Amino acid sequence: MNELADNAKTPDTSLDDIEIELFIRALKLRYGYDFTQYAPASLKRRVLQLAHAQEAATVSELTTRLLHQPDFLPVALEGLSVPVSEMFRDPDVFLALREQVLPVLASYPQINIWQAGCAHGQEVYSLAILLEEAGLYDRTQIYATDFNESALRHAQEGIYPAREAQLWSRNYLAAGGKHTLADYYSARYELIKLDQRLRRNVIFANHNLVTDEVFCEAHLVLCRNVLIYFSDPLQDRTLALFRDSLVRGGFLCLGTRESLDFAPSASDFTPVDAARRIYRLGPRGTGKE
Amino acid sequence: MTVPQAIVIGCSAGGLTALESLFAHLDPGLPQSIAVCCHTGSATVDLLCELLAKHAALPVEEARERSPMQGGVIHVAPSGYHLLVETNRRFALSVDQRVSFARPSIDVLFESAAEAWRDALIGVVLTGANSDGANGLLRVRQCGGIAIVQEPLDAESPAMPAAALERAGADYCLPLADIAPLLNRLCLP
């Protein structure tokens, strides 16, 4: 057994926790954004990360800025938002959507899709491409929502770092893409801009899963890796919101590592492809005409 | 002295071989919950669990979000997500940005586990090619847990254990072959 140099000292962890709680409380009281039902461990990391990025000595300093500097709100929301995804992330999921879900959606004269928590829009454009290649896009309406205005603006622009294109192209092909991803964007300098025609049937709208209600009738709800940030009750509330938004036999697609084991509302859904977290509203057999 | 209730283990390059040999020698009667974060590059968590289960004396499972850390089970972090432990000792996942270029990151697992288990935690840093885990191990020690680091000269890739030693120090610094016997000693009444 080696006795080694010990440069560890006991920090006052509870102090961090108190300050984070006050910050979250201030955000709710001052602006109505409610993060009190978020999963604590990752929320804590994000708040501390925000303090670090803002060169704030303490989280309390963030709270002061939040209360007294209106232009700090978007910065704070950006730091606490759904992180950025990639195009066709988990290609096998998009392949399953292409092969198992779109053929069913094709039977509807008008298709409504809700992408909840769209962040910077990578998955919205992925969906649009999928629908375009299936010949369904012209009768589809995609609602892409997020609570974060600056993320919505990003998503609307569809401009991303060019260094991402290589991975996204690989994903696109693995997802059963029929062309090359480059057919859908133009590259300039260090950026790529997605074909604006892909946006023609997308409505970007501000919607907060924590506080807002049903706003459309959807045939497919896509919400991947958002619920992982929610505590059990908020996850359950959100699933109920999806249930109430979906038509009978409508589809729900979640993140591939998301678990419904602690959500009573999950009993409303039947797995279509459990490994890829694709479900259908209603008991087994629903939607079989 | 508090009896440890949980063990977190981090490694990257060379980690699979190291974990196989470590798990082969753990006592099958260990009651502690074990969580592992191994940067595998492209290997999926399914494959990783399958390979580890071949050698392990204890059951090996992918760590699932919201599920409790179970005693006597080795939980493996899924690829592409950070694995965290909530204070109620259930797992959580995140797709937040990489930490130390890694997702899953050892720091993220260790730091959250340290706050959940306080002084009832053992943190183990094995072979690896970067400095992920150093901050996490420091947090484990700050919260009163025990830190074990593989002797860098004994490791296939010494960078990770060396960085952990430099940043956090350790209660024990040993060759890999001695770590399982030490864990058995610390963990069995």
Side-chain angles (χ1 to χ4, degrees):
Chain A
M1 163 171 169
N2 294 339
E3 287 295 334
L4 295 162
D6 185 342
N7 53 5
K9 57 181 193 305
T10 308
D12 193 344
T13 44
S14 59
L15 198 56
D16 264 348
D17 292 337
I18 292 167
E19 288 190 285
I20 289 166
E21 193 167 329
L22 292 172
F23 175 75
I24 295 302
R25 186 106 186 94
L27 194 54
K28 186 178 172 182
L29 289 171
R30 181 81 173 84
Y31 293 107
Y33 287 99
D34 184 356
F35 287 85
T36 55
Q37 291 286 310
Y38 273 54
S42 60
L43 183 64
K44 178 173 183 171
R45 285 198 76 89
R46 286 165 167 206
V47 177
L48 293 174
Q49 174 64 37
L50 181 66
H52 181 75
Q54 291 297 306
E55 295 176 353
T58 62
V59 172
S60 299
E61 217 173 283
L62 293 185
T63 309
T64 306
R65 282 185 218 178
L66 187 71
L67 294 173
H68 299 285
Q69 302 172 10
D71 58 354
F72 182 64
L73 176 67
V75 178
L77 291 180
E78 188 67 32
L80 302 180
S81 286
V82 179
V84 173
S85 181
E86 49 192 63
M87 285 188 82
F88 298 98
R89 181 185 174 141
D90 307 317
D92 59 330
V93 171
F94 283 90
L95 188 62
L97 289 172
R98 196 188 282 270
E99 291 174 347
Q100 298 178 58
V101 175
L102 295 195
V104 179
L105 296 187
S107 64
Y108 296 103
Q110 162 72 33
I111 304 163
N112 287 339
I113 297 178
W114 176 18
Q115 209 223 326
C118 70
H120 289 191
Q122 289 91 336
E123 296 208 342
V124 181
Y125 291 101
S126 306
L127 265 177
I129 290 170
L130 214 57
L131 291 153
E132 191 85 291
E133 295 188 358
L136 298 174
Y137 194 37
D138 284 325
R139 51 183 158 117
T140 302
Q141 180 71 68
I142 300 177
Y143 299 95
T145 65
D146 202 289
F147 70 82
N148 174 357
E149 278 300 327
S150 92
L152 285 168
R153 272 198 304 279
H154 244 281
Q156 214 148 359
E157 282 174 350
I159 297 173
Y160 307 102
R163 65 170 182 276
E164 308 271 17
Q166 207 180 356
L167 169 68
W168 295 359
S169 297
R170 277 205 309 274
N171 286 352
Y172 164 80
L173 292 173
K178 294 179 178 171
H179 309 285
T180 65
L181 190 62
D183 294 349
Y184 296 103
Y185 66 77
S186 50
R188 291 184 62 182
Y189 309 109
E190 300 294 285
L191 298 170
I192 59 171
K193 183 170 174 66
L194 284 163
D195 183 347
Q196 290 303 281
R197 291 190 60 252
L198 293 172
R199 247 182 37 194
R200 68 186 183 276
N201 293 336
V202 182
I203 292 175
F204 293 94
N206 194 307
H207 181 280
N208 189 335
L209 290 169
V210 181
T211 43
D212 293 336
E213 297 298 337
V214 174
F215 69 93
C216 72
E217 186 175 68
H219 302 94
L220 164 66
V221 172
L222 205 86
C223 181
R224 302 200 321 130
N225 299 328
V226 177
L227 299 184
I228 48 175
Y229 294 104
F230 290 179
S231 64
D232 295 3
L234 181 57
Q235 181 197 38
D236 200 51
R237 177 197 184 272
T238 309
L239 285 167
L241 184 67
F242 294 158
R243 177 196 63 211
D244 297 343
S245 304
L246 282 165
V247 301
R248 200 172 65 94
F251 293 90
L252 171 67
C253 180
L254 301 173
T256 54
R257 293 293 183 253
E258 295 190 301
S259 146
L260 297 182
D261 296 353
F262 300 90
S265 296
S267 61
D268 300 320
F269 295 95
T270 307
V272 173
D273 185 335
R276 294 175 183 81
R277 299 297 192 270
I278 298 172
Y279 305 87
R280 213 165 172 184
L281 181 60
R284 233 166 267 282
T286 302
K288 288 207 174 117
E289 308 307 335
Chain B
M1 188 188 133
T2 316
V3 177
Q5 295 176 55
I7 304 168
V8 286
I9 302 169
C11 54
S12 75
L16 185 56
T17 317
L19 289 172
E20 284 174 348
S21 111
L22 178 77
F23 291 159
H25 297 97
L26 285 182
D27 191 301
L30 285 190
Q32 285 73 13
S33 320
I34 301 172
V36 180
C37 175
C38 176
H39 310 157
T40 51
S42 60
T44 62
V45 64
D46 309 347
L47 181 66
L48 191 60
C49 288
E50 200 179 313
L51 293 170
L52 291 174
K54 280 200 182 106
H55 301 265
L58 294 159
V60 179
E61 292 175 10
E62 178 184 334
R64 293 176 49 119
E65 67 138 12
R66 297 174 205 271
S67 297
M69 283 184 80
Q70 295 170 8
V73 174
I74 297 167
H75 306 85
V76 181
S79 352
Y81 293 81
H82 289 306
L83 178 65
L84 302 97
V85 182
E86 296 286 2
T87 49
N88 62 9
R89 295 167 183 181
R90 289 171 180 259
F91 287 118
L93 296 174
S94 99
V95 283
D96 287 8
Q97 58 198 18
R98 291 163 184 273
V99 174
S100 307
F101 309 104
R103 192 176 61 211
S105 146
I106 301 164
D107 282 340
V108 172
L109 172 63
F110 279 32
E111 286 169 17
S112 59
E115 297 191 7
W117 295 96
R118 313 295 315 175
D119 62 353
L121 181 71
I122 300 176
V124 185
V125 175
L126 303 174
T127 171
N130 60 22
S131 63
D132 189 20
N135 287 330
L137 196 70
L138 178 62
R139 198 90 189 94
V140 170
R141 301 196 84 195
Q142 287 173 331
C143 292
I146 297 169
I148 300 174
V149 176
Q150 181 178 4
E151 171 63 56
L153 293 176
D154 175 70
E156 190 175 319
S157 293
M160 190 176 280
L165 285 177
E166 188 179 342
R167 180 98 181 87
D171 298 289
Y172 304 91
C173 176
L174 311 160
L176 181 65
D178 297 338
I179 293 179
L182 170 67
L183 287 172
N184 293 337
R185 227 180 22 252
L186 291 170
C187 291
L188 288 167

